[in-house]
Amino acid sequence: MTRELLEGSAAIAAAAITAGCRFFAGYPMSPFTGLLESMSRELPAAGGVCVNAESEIEGVNMVLGAAAAGARAATGSCGQGIALMQETIAEAALNQTPFVVFNMARNQQDYFQCTRGGGWGDYRTITLAPKDVTEAVAHTQLSFHLAELYRAPVILYGDPLIAQTRVSVTVAPQDHGPLPERDWVLDGTGGGTGRSRQVWTWAMGKATDPGPGPDRHWRAVADKFDAIAATEARFEQAHVEDAETVVVAFGTAALFVEYVVEQLRAEGHRIGWFRPVTLWPFPGDALAAATTGARRVLVFELNAGQMLDDVRIHAADRSAVRFIGGVSIAESGLAYGDLMDAPAIRDRILAALTGGASA
Amino acid sequence: MTREQIVIDTSGPPSVPARKVADPRPSLLLGEHSLCPGCGEPVALRLLLEVLQELDIVQRTIGVVGHGCYGSFVRIMDVDVLQCLHGRAPSCATGIKRVRPECAVFTMQGDGDMANEGLQEVLHAAARGEKITCVMLNNGVFGDTGGQLTATTVLGQRTKTSLAGRDAEAHGYPIPVADLVAGLQGSAYVARGAVSTAGGVAQTKRMLRRAFETQLSGAGFSLVEILTMCPTGWFVPAGEGPGYLGGSLEQSYPLGELVT
Ligand code: SF4
């Protein structure tokens, strides 16, 4: 595996293909577009299919079909496009079809959308939020593994800094361990035997084999998400042991926060940082431990306060939680605005340390 | 009056009557359907399953079923099936066919499914020339939800949401799906049949067979729109369904092959 200078989108495409993705369908929407272009360029040579779908709804449903037929499959978009896909993401969560959705988001306002979904049913969506291109490459491969391990859609939540930054990366195959047998895949050979297969949200089985039925099936799916919540939460943290102040951030914004917090540490402040790597499952127990003893828990995110809810639920002392982020996006809608800036973040943290904090 | 002497020859087996008796049930049916008496959809299902069997492709067929009364066929069709969201079957079928080109892939959708919720999906699948076969069961109403207006309800037809009959001013004009699809370059076989008469049933079966043959030959997209009876949704006695179909739907949607 050689090291290459690649744009984030191309690196993610290479990682997806390395992870065995053989079907991709998507509808252009910046900053996701680069990934679609990369896939359309690279996937056919790898023996796969990339369809420039006529809408996000068609794209995600093609992916549902391809995944039900056994292919590692993926789609993507951002914000409004992901909103159109939510109906099918929910359906896939409930009929247990694994695929990956690349949300190359324009900002951090997709947090609720990714972690709470917009579909129907007792489901959750595993969401990974890489902090840079290198981690996005690793997360891409992990996403396909988790999707198949749990038979559920997985969202990789990137942003313009990940999609459009050119970095030197190595895309090497990863081994995440064994996967369960794929005895549910529709391959067309079950017909006429009395044992034909079906992929169906209601799981009522064939007339000859009634299946679990909706109640038991949906309960089992909900139990599965409970099990994922207990085992798959990932996070990173530093200096939280003696911290009076813990700053929580995710995605590329967390890189800026980490830089500023390290500066303030060096200047003698008892401050640490905490980064949820998985937004769902949210690493709540880890956050509770990290914030025990902290007088301030500051949440920096580029929206009106969405992860703030999860931090409030899990922080050791919810009255210590303050929001220091805000809506911040360039007028083009395609890049972060003024707040994604180390001096601006430093000002907000310092203001909180000296008593004041933005609402 | 002469009386002929009747001699019965018992030296050989009795002659076989020159009459073909249909199987009571195609072997691909796993159980009883639960649809209303007089419904046309079980007839269409039977034809579809018989064609799969006659073409000997049962062991490589994947069906995609939308939402409607026929959705319950998922449980009694002995072929691999994905039940997808309302309207999305042609997109799901596209994904399946692209990763398993050796399979015969079909969708079964109602008019509400295909023409209301999923018109875009079927038109684009046809335009792309996807090598799939889409079957639209057209009864002109949402049968499953109790007989409301769909995009194919014909002018003048009374439904629960057009009590005085469909009026173009208020409800717009009905959409002839097969004709729309026929106009697209990727369409290799498009036909419209009906299951309201014995002749129509036989003709519809031939259409389904040709649609699958077209798919298997790799020529492009195929669609069969099948006019079916919904006495329940039409609020007519079960026995009057076929006649009602002939006088309403069939007048607006002429039967025949549109693209061959
Ligand atoms: S409501 Fe109509 S379409 Fe549905 S089963 Fe009854 S007759 Fe058939």
Side-chain angles (χ1 to χ4, degrees):
Chain A
M1 290 293 140
T2 52
R3 217 167 162 77
E4 280 183 279
L5 186 65
L6 291 175
E7 192 173 64
S9 294
I12 290 170
I17 293 169
T18 303
C21 178
R22 291 296 175 270
F23 186 88
F24 193 87
Y27 180 85
M29 183 165 173
S30 299
F32 158 74
T33 314
L35 180 53
L36 177 60
E37 289 173 356
S38 293
M39 284 304 235
S40 69
R41 201 169 50 235
E42 308 295 340
L43 202 46
V49 176
C50 179
V51 183
N52 192 139
E54 290 82 0
S55 75
E56 287 87 349
I57 295 174
E58 289 170 89
V60 72
N61 280 287
M62 289 176 195
V63 164
L64 172 64
R72 280 201 161 181
T75 183
S77 187
C78 54
Q80 298 91 328
I82 300 284
L84 291 174
M85 296 180 176
Q86 289 288 17
E87 177 195 50
T88 301
I89 292 172
E91 185 78 355
L94 296 171
N95 72 21
Q96 306 200 94
T97 310
F99 56 77
V100 176
V101 179
F102 293 100
N103 181 7
M104 294 293 118
R106 293 180 176 181
N107 50 46
Q108 295 198 306
Q109 288 168 297
D110 294 5
Y111 184 92
F112 283 154
Q113 186 185 50
C114 289
T115 61
R116 305 300 193 263
W120 163 89
D122 289 307
Y123 79 103
R124 298 291 193 145
T125 318
I126 299 172
T127 303
L128 293 158
K131 65 181 177 186
D132 58 21
V133 176
T134 305
E135 196 177 70
V137 164
H139 280 182
T140 295
Q141 302 184 66
L142 177 61
S143 295
F144 282 100
H145 177 81
L146 292 176
E148 198 168 318
L149 182 61
Y150 294 113
R151 288 184 61 185
V154 173
I155 294 182
L156 184 135
Y157 186 172
D159 68 1
L161 288 186
I162 285 175
Q164 295 170 343
T165 305
R166 208 167 254 278
V167 295
S168 169
V169 286
T170 304
V171 178
Q174 293 177 352
D175 182 7
H176 289 288
L179 288 166
E181 201 193 330
R182 306 194 315 152
D183 51 2
W184 51 272
V185 164
L186 302 179
D187 60 7
T189 62
T193 62
R195 294 190 305 279
S196 53
R197 301 180 194 97
Q198 64 184 22
V199 172
W200 188 16
T201 307
W202 289 57
M204 284 162 71
K206 298 273 181 175
T208 43
D209 173 14
D215 283 6
R216 278 175 52 206
H217 171 63
W218 294 334
R219 184 63 251 173
V221 169
D223 289 346
K224 177 179 79 179
F225 286 117
D226 287 347
I228 297 171
T231 53
E232 295 296 346
R234 290 167 164 77
F235 64 96
E236 268 193 344
Q237 62 185 18
H239 316 301
V240 295
E241 297 75 19
D242 67 342
E244 284 182 345
T245 305
V246 175
V247 190
V248 189
F250 73 92
T252 52
L255 273 188
F256 287 68
V257 164
E258 185 183 327
Y259 171 78
V260 171
V261 169
E262 295 293 341
Q263 254 185 2
L264 293 171
R265 249 293 147 177
E267 292 166 20
H269 294 279
R270 282 172 58 188
I271 188 167
W273 56 265
F274 183 94
R275 176 172 76 100
V277 172
T278 47
L279 301 184
W280 193 88
F282 189 81
D285 292 346
L287 182 77
T291 55
T292 303
R295 287 170 50 205
R296 293 177 209 90
V297 178
L298 309 179
V299 180
F300 182 83
E301 53 182 333
L302 295 164
N303 55 42
Q306 297 190 9
M307 180 177 67
L308 180 64
D309 285 5
D310 284 326
V311 175
R312 281 199 180 123
I313 289 169
H314 298 286
D317 172 9
R318 63 168 294 176
S319 69
V321 178
R322 299 278 181 280
F323 182 62
I324 59 164
V327 180
S328 177
I329 189 159
E331 263 179 38
S332 66
L334 301 178
Y336 289 128
D338 294 345
L339 268 185
M340 188 73 144
D341 176 60
I345 295 171
R346 184 185 164 94
D347 286 350
R348 292 200 166 203
I349 294 176
L350 282 174
L353 295 186
T354 53
S358 36
Chain B
M1 223 173 129
T2 55
R3 297 185 64 177
E4 282 181 43
Q5 193 178 358
I6 297 171
V7 179
I8 297 174
D9 180 6
T10 56
S11 60
S15 63
V16 179
R19 188 160 59 87
K20 196 177 163 201
V21 178
D23 287 339
R25 220 173 79 176
S27 64
L28 284 179
L29 267 185
L30 287 174
E32 300 294 327
H33 72 76
S34 53
L35 274 56
C36 309
C39 179
E41 293 183 346
V43 182
L45 171 69
R46 178 185 176 124
L47 299 181
L48 176 78
L49 296 181
E50 284 177 356
V51 165
L52 295 178
Q53 204 156 24
E54 287 167 20
L55 291 174
D56 196 18
I57 52 174
V58 177
Q59 287 283 309
R60 55 184 174 116
T61 295
I62 303 179
V64 186
V65 177
H67 283 279
C69 297
Y70 57 89
S72 64
F73 293 164
V74 168
R75 304 193 67 228
I76 57 172
M77 283 194 283
D78 194 6
V79 293
D80 287 356
V81 170
L82 165 66
Q83 173 140 37
C84 70
L85 286 157
H86 206 229
R88 314 293 171 233
S91 297
C92 291
T94 296
I96 294 172
K97 184 73 180 190
R98 293 290 189 106
V99 301
R100 293 197 181 274
E102 74 283 4
C103 285
V105 181
F106 74 88
T107 74
M108 181 184 277
Q109 302 170 264
D111 48 302
D113 193 280
M114 184 183 276
N116 284 58
E117 195 90 21
L119 189 61
Q120 168 164 339
E121 326 276 323
V122 70
L123 291 181
H124 284 304
R128 288 193 306 269
E130 294 295 343
K131 296 167 188 64
I132 58 175
T133 298
C134 290
V135 178
M136 171 168 135
L137 305 174
N138 184 5
N139 55 28
V141 290
F142 285 110
D144 204 9
T145 49
Q148 299 80 17
L149 176 109
T150 68
T152 66
T153 301
V154 299
L155 289 177
Q157 188 177 342
R158 296 176 62 226
T159 73
K160 272 192 182 163
T161 48
S162 57
L163 288 174
R166 183 176 196 152
D167 161 30
E169 193 62 39
H171 309 108
Y173 294 92
I175 297 179
V177 172
D179 301 74
L180 282 188
V181 169
L184 298 169
Q185 247 182 313
S187 297
Y189 181 79
V190 181
R192 186 183 287 120
V195 292
S196 47
T197 62
V201 168
Q203 185 191 38
T204 302
K205 183 169 172 183
R206 282 195 296 276
M207 290 169 171
L208 285 168
R209 189 183 172 99
R210 290 205 58 187
F212 278 99
E213 284 169 350
T214 301
Q215 178 184 164
L216 297 173
S217 75
F221 181 83
S222 51
L223 175 132
V224 183
E225 178 178 333
I226 305 176
L227 306 184
T228 62
M229 295 77 77
C230 177
T232 306
W234 297 339
F235 313 106
V236 302
E240 291 175 20
Y244 182 94
L245 190 154
S248 61
L249 282 166
E250 210 179 307
Q251 299 306 309
S252 296
Y253 302 118
L255 307 184
E257 295 181 316
L258 287 84
V259 177
T260 56

